[in-house]
Amino acid sequence: MRIPGLAVVLTLWACNVANALEVEDHRLFPGSGDRILRIVSTTDLDVFEPYIAAFQDVRPDVSIDYSVMSSSILYSAIREGHSFDLAVSSAMDLQFQLANDGFAQRYRSAATETLPDWARWRGLIFAFTSEPAVMVINNEHFSGLDLPTTRQDLIGLLRDHPDRFTGAVGTYDVRESGLGYLFATQEDRSTDAFWRLNEVMGRLDPRFYCCSSQMIDDVADGQLALAYNVLGSYAKERLAQDQGDRMQIIRMQDFTNVMLRTAIIPATAKETEAAGAMIDMLATLALRQAPGNWPLPSLSETGADEALGFGPIRLGPALMVYLDPLNRRAFLTDWENAMEQQ
Amino acid sequence: MTETRSISQRLTLLLAGVAALLSLLSWGMVTGLAREATQRTQDNVLAASTTTIAETLRSEQGEVRLELPYAAFAMLDAISEDRVFYRVTAGGRILTGYEDLPQTSEGGLGQVTFDSGEYNGAPIRMASVSRLVLAGAEPLSVTVTVAQTRDGVGAVASELSQLAAILSVAFFFVAVGLSAFAVKTSLRPLNEIAAAVSRRGPSDLRPLMRAAPADLAPLLTALNRLMDRLHLSIRRSEDFIAEAAHRIRTPLATVRTQAEISLRTVDDETEKQRLRRMIRAVDESSRSAGQLLDHATVAYRTEDMAHDVLDLADVVRQTVAAVEPTAAMRDIHLEVTSIEAKVLGDAVLLDNALSNVLDNAIKYSPEDTTVSIYITRTDAEARISVTDDGPGLGDEPIDALTERFRRGSNTGGIVGSGLGLTIASDVLRAHRGRLELANTQNGRGACVSLVLPLS
């Protein structure tokens, strides 16, 4: 079997819908003027709403049209030339590929210049949060057990207690979720324990999810004992709202992936000035010193927590390696073999 | 004399031109080298990346397989933030990557080839390597191409080029400064010789005895030879004048004696008048001849004059005594106010100078008046001032009066050659002194001062 070309393959893989975009959520925040800033994002509406409100405080004339979609659909929407003014995504690799392949516009301002080098690339892509991947556990399921702090601990625990964990382990479906795929491939690169953990999980009839929030929901109501590779920022937000101390966040001590949420101005953007102003605001917030009342962490917050000194996933051409169709096919084959053993 | 651009200007301009050319050349070279070096760095990384990918090529169940290694792209990020494109073709068909990348040149198996091209409007640099992979029955040629935009290379090269430009400009200015300095230093001996020649007095024709660079020796020799010839010719003409004056004086004396005898023997008043006019004319000629002789004497003596310690009071006394009879003939009183003033000099020359000045004073003074002679002294100079009650020096520029054969405008009817002040002035110059001419303050009469440095 030969593969006709990267773009075609990625497009086929990325979206099942050609022109009708699969929008998960959408809202228009009307402003006083005629201008509409069209933002496409993977960030849930309620998470991003404070940022929109802060932006409209400064620029009340700009209406904001906010669409939420999965990272892969967002990716192919931009590639196909759907007109958006700003694309915000947690899938760094897809965002990077867009920038590399010329689907992003250059933007430069005093605010973006203050971003550290690792948080921007060629003035095309800007990171404004750094968010760790964490594990969320249900306290009830873990009663009487030592809490795992490394993947090694977790492998032992899962292997020793198949009764407790069968059907109660959740993780991203890396075939569907761009972020899940990014986390999985980066773990593959960084730790030997990744495939052994997958093997062990595979024997426990794991459940696959598209999104962090659903996984956390299922942990909260006890359907899942643990959710592996959940976005730390979402988990924290959710835990803060949750009554009754049912869940806990665990960060792996041996290695933690840190994802950068990035924004690009697509090449087709029309309201580039407003999009630039939004990037400036996000960049300024990204460098804030106090945590403040924002749902997403700043660039520095996670860094300080990072005891082992793993930096965030690097914004660079290496991100495109796992997006290569051959590599992707090989990776997914291995992943399926490990995860679907029955 | 037509003045062309000075040697120092010409040399400085020439050297500046050379420096500018060298600066420009070095800037061009550094820029070229910087471009070449940065391009090579990018080529090396691209080659490493391409080879790393090619090494993962393998055959599985008759199909070509490869796995893009993470490091292959991570290393491309190390040098600059450049966009990356890649393509893998097997037997002419695209295996993976960007199918619309430009075609690359064919190299031997395992050999990395480089191409420059353009992709999506951006200039790119491509590295390709081919390998044979056994897929099925036949070996298949698989080509791996990795491309990168050239922004980073361009940025580094232009940064280096800018730095080189700044350095070149700095080099140029330093070089021009040094050239100007070098020109000034090497022209100094020439300027020194020029200054030495122009410092000399008008009659100083001694050869220049100076240490000079070998290049200037011919000029110096030629100059000395010219001065020698000039000296010789001046002396010859002075000799001629002295000889002529001497030869004229003797017959004139005879003529005068004969005329006086005739005057005594002739009774006719008209005849007498005629003879007197003749005597007067002879006197005038004889006096002129005398002064010409004096002038020649002064010219000789100043070349090799004595440097004795003299008291000006003595000089004045002797000279005044010598002219006393002439003054007395016209009832002119010579009043001397004298103090001691020692100078270094030649008594004969000074006597000559002073007697010429006194001669003038007596000659131009009306009868029955006083000519005053004062000796005064300051810290460094002694001064003999001669003041008369004559008509003064007239309205002409006073300095012109010391020129040879120049007579004042108001000398009508008085015998004179115009050499007296010239002689005095020459003598004083030879003594490093000067002759000062002025009208007296009351507007009547002249004041001539002989100024000499004290010993």
Side-chain angles (χ1 to χ4, degrees), chain A residues 1 3-6 97 100-102 120-122 186 189 314-318 320-322 324-327, chain B residues 63 66-70 73-74 77 81-86 93-99 120 140 149 151:
Chain A
M1 191 185 86
I3 284 128
L6 179 77
Q97 182 100 52
N100 185 72
D101 294 359
R120 57 191 160 109
W121 190 78
R122 283 174 71 90
Q186 291 294 323
R189 202 171 69 75
R314 190 168 163 70
L315 264 180
M320 305 196 308
V321 164
Y322 287 105
D324 179 79
L326 294 185
N327 277 20
Chain B
E63 270 191 55
L66 92 151
E67 203 174 290
L68 287 180
Y70 194 81
F73 281 10
D77 197 24
E81 289 186 343
D82 269 301
R83 292 158 64 188
V84 172
F85 312 103
Y86 66 98
R93 269 187 291 181
I94 308 282
L95 207 58
T96 185
Y98 297 72
E99 49 189 317
N120 282 351
L140 207 59
T149 51
D151 303 356

Side-chain angles (χ1 to χ4, degrees), chain A residues 160-312:
Chain A
D160 294 347
H161 304 276
D163 48 315
R164 288 197 195 211
F165 294 114
T166 302
V169 175
T171 189
Y172 272 116
D173 185 344
V174 301
R175 294 164 296 192
E176 298 287 328
S177 161
L179 180 60
Y181 185 70
L182 175 68
F183 279 156
T185 51
Q186 291 294 323
E187 256 190 72
D188 167 31
R189 202 171 69 75
S190 307
T191 167
D192 303 337
F194 174 67
W195 288 112
R196 277 188 289 134
L197 181 60
N198 279 352
E199 292 281 341
V200 174
M201 278 190 194
R203 282 201 284 274
L204 296 171
D205 189 17
R207 293 169 63 181
F208 302 125
Y209 292 82
C210 75
C211 321
S212 281
S213 37
Q214 287 170 25
M215 258 189 280
I216 299 166
D217 283 346
D218 285 358
V219 174
D221 59 26
Q223 285 187 46
L224 288 181
L226 73 92
Y228 184 72
N229 267 355
V230 176
L231 261 186
S233 50
Y234 282 32
K236 218 165 161 182
E237 182 88 353
R238 188 63 213 281
L239 238 66
Q241 294 164 8
D242 198 60
Q243 310 292 320
D245 197 22
R246 293 179 294 176
M247 293 183 290
Q248 240 183 90
I249 295 174
I250 294 179
R251 287 184 68 172
M252 290 293 160
Q253 300 296 309
D254 52 346
F255 169 78
T256 299
N257 266 320
V258 178
M259 172 275 280
L260 300 175
R261 200 176 288 267
T262 56
I264 60 171
I265 302 179
T268 53
K270 293 184 187 82
E271 291 290 344
T272 48
E273 189 274 330
M278 177 62 100
I279 285 180
D280 286 352
M281 190 194 84
L282 293 175
T284 311
L285 287 175
L287 296 172
R288 67 184 185 266
Q289 290 306 312
N293 199 19
W294 299 98
L296 296 173
S298 71
L299 285 178
S300 53
E301 267 173 69
T302 359
D305 293 357
E306 213 57 49
L308 289 168
F310 287 102

